[in-house]
Amino acid sequence: MTPAERDTLERLEERTRTVRRGGILRRSNDRSGELFVLRSGLMMTYVLLGDGSRQILRFHFPGDMLGLSGLVYPEAPETICAVTESVVCPFERSALAQLVEAHPRLASMILAYGQIDRVSLTDRLAALGRTSAKARVGALLLEWRSRLRAGDGSIGESFSLGLTQEEVGDATGLTAVHVNRMLRQLEEEGLIAREGQRVTICDERALMAATNYVDRYRDLDLGWLPAGR
Amino acid sequence: MTPAERDTLERLEERTRTVRRGGILRRSNDRSGELFVLRSGLMMTYVLLGDGSRQILRFHFPGDMLGLSGLVYPEAPETICAVTESVVCPFERSALAQLVEAHPRLASMILAYGQIDRVSLTDRLAALGRTSAKARVGALLLEWRSRLRAGDGSIGESFSLGLTQEEVGDATGLTAVHVNRMLRQLEEEGLIAREGQRVTICDERALMAATNYVDRYRDLDLGWLPAGR
DNA sequence: CGTAGCATTGAAACATGTCAAGTAAGGTGG
DNA sequence: CCACCTTACTTGACATGTTTCAATGCTACG
């Protein structure tokens, strides 16, 4: 990355804001056009439906860009909320416009990043539409491990899932009760082990085969990017 | 739009390729990095799962940009297929890189377009995760009407749904049999009327209330875009 | 006129949701 | 340090929505 590019990115992260556990960064129908970079912590995006049920759309890990939907919608379509205490760096849409003008390669990277996000969403769509409850829960576990590992290479087969079973259910389109049963089944089949918040992937091959999980953050090809400025 | 911008877009659409009904433009795991603009016809993107079931991820209408996932993945994660005979304009990833370098405003528009796409996907995700079969089928009908109308303002309450019930099922995460029953129910409740391929929305208010459908192509805010070049 | 794909319908099986009760763990005020 | 309270987890019995399987009818097309 060129010095100018690095400088531009750093300027996006000049200000910071802390959101405490459970705190809401942006509520659905809010009129804020701000965007954010997640610096630390874990967050999620969800929607509430008319009947009060919730669908969690995405989990966000450090480095993710949040609130991109503010680029098009004057009213936020989704709620962004902190799963654990988090620090975000807010910036204005106009700052993004400047970035796109000055740094085509960064703009292309953001465009590419959006595609990863989009393909991950389609994976989850296919999971909700066409796979069993057990497969969905298993896929969520694999996704969490792989994303946590991206931020901390020392993570092995075992990690702490900082979610309640109700949250797992809202992400996978299941009830908390059924999530509980599926976790138990995965455990009885020897695919995972549990101990409080901690989950261990015991048989990765079998779990991946049972869930069709694909890690979309691997095997990227960014060879087409323009030169840096 | 500036003359230079218009010219750049036209150059993307220099070549054309015709895909006949049912033809496949790009198969999952293909290594092609081409992108496309859909000029005419209707297409869809889907994935096939290990057990042979299919999840339709998106329907594409004229003007849509296809195959953006090729920007990051050397192997296509999805299959793109023609619902009706279609004409697409293929172009290279490098052409997009040039566009981003030369025309920041167009780049920003593509970025913004990606957000519409992404939010539509999350709407469908919430529908699959948290709404009933009837609501999902109803939402699909509303979506089709609104997208067809965007291309042809003369379309009113009645339109031709060029999909088999199996395709509707693969898009909504249901079986063809159940789609049939849901259509019948919607009809019996007076929300829609059917006549062969033709569907009429009889009670739009009630249908929208029953489905939580939101038209994501309306009420956009692109005020932040940089100036054209 | 035959055939192939699609739509329709019924009955039964299955997966997941709902409700209810009980347990374990953690935080807080006395 | 304890008693309490809240929140999350666990489990069972039952209800419901959706799938599966199978049979039939319809329509278009060669």
Side-chain angles (χ1 to χ4, degrees), chain B:
Chain B
M1 209 170 281
T2 67
E5 284 176 340
R6 193 174 300 281
D7 188 57
T8 303
L9 288 182
E10 269 166 16
R11 210 161 322 145
L12 283 189
E13 303 191 28
E14 250 167 9
R15 293 178 296 147
T16 69
R17 188 184 309 168
T18 302
V19 192
R20 70 165 178 288
R21 182 169 219 278
I24 289 183
L25 181 58
R26 170 184 299 167
R27 199 177 299 273
S28 182
N29 299 321
D30 269 4
R31 299 198 139 269
S32 142
E34 267 179 324
L35 310 182
F36 309 90
V37 172
L38 178 54
R39 173 166 291 171
S40 71
L42 294 172
M43 305 194 76
M44 63 182 174
T45 295
Y46 61 80
V47 290
L48 294 176
L49 277 69
D51 63 351
S53 62
R54 174 176 70 167
Q55 175 68 46
I56 295 177
L57 302 169
R58 263 205 74 173
F59 293 105
H60 303 286
F61 295 79
D64 284 359
M65 212 175 250
L66 315 186
L68 278 168
S69 57
L71 286 183
V72 255
Y73 299 106
E75 307 200 351
E78 320 147 331
T79 300
I80 307 175
C81 165
V83 178
T84 67
E85 171 153 321
S86 302
V87 177
V88 298
C89 306
F91 60 93
E92 293 298 322
R93 304 192 294 185
S94 55
L96 188 70
Q98 285 167 25
L99 178 152
V100 173
E101 278 205 271
H103 295 288
R105 185 164 70 166
L106 293 181
S108 302
M109 287 171 68
I110 293 175
L111 203 58
Y113 167 81
Q115 299 314 311
I116 300 177
D117 200 27
R118 221 167 49 79
V119 172
S120 304
L121 272 176
T122 64
D123 285 343
R124 312 224 359 252
L125 192 72
L128 288 201
R130 289 298 187 216
T131 75
S132 69
K134 204 199 294 181
R136 291 183 229 167
V137 173
L140 182 139
L141 296 179
L142 285 170
E143 184 190 345
W144 270 70
R145 190 190 54 155
S146 123
R147 297 222 56 194
L148 287 174
R149 195 182 259 176
D152 175 359
S154 72
I155 289 175
E157 303 309 323
S158 180
F159 61 96
S160 161
L161 183 69
L163 297 175
T164 66
Q165 294 182 355
E166 182 164 12
E167 285 164 338
V168 174
D170 285 344
T172 53
L174 300 168
T175 56
V177 172
H178 206 56
V179 167
N180 184 293
R181 289 196 251 261
M182 294 303 104
L183 287 171
R184 168 155 312 284
Q185 259 189 265
L186 289 170
E187 199 174 16
E188 280 168 2
E189 291 168 12
L191 298 180
I192 66 168
R194 290 187 301 156
E195 194 184 339
Q197 288 276 43
R198 260 200 123 51
V199 176
T200 306
I201 312 278
C202 300
D203 189 343
E204 178 168 359
R205 287 188 74 89
L207 195 54
M208 294 200 50
T211 59
N212 321 98
Y213 175 71
V214 182
D215 184 350
R216 294 300 182 186
Y217 289 80
R218 296 190 47 195
D219 301 325
L220 304 180
D221 170 17
L222 297 176
W224 58 278
L225 292 179
R229 275 189 197 161

Side-chain angles (χ1 to χ4, degrees), chain A residues 44 48 70 139 192:
Chain A
M44 63 180 174
L48 293 175
I192 66 169

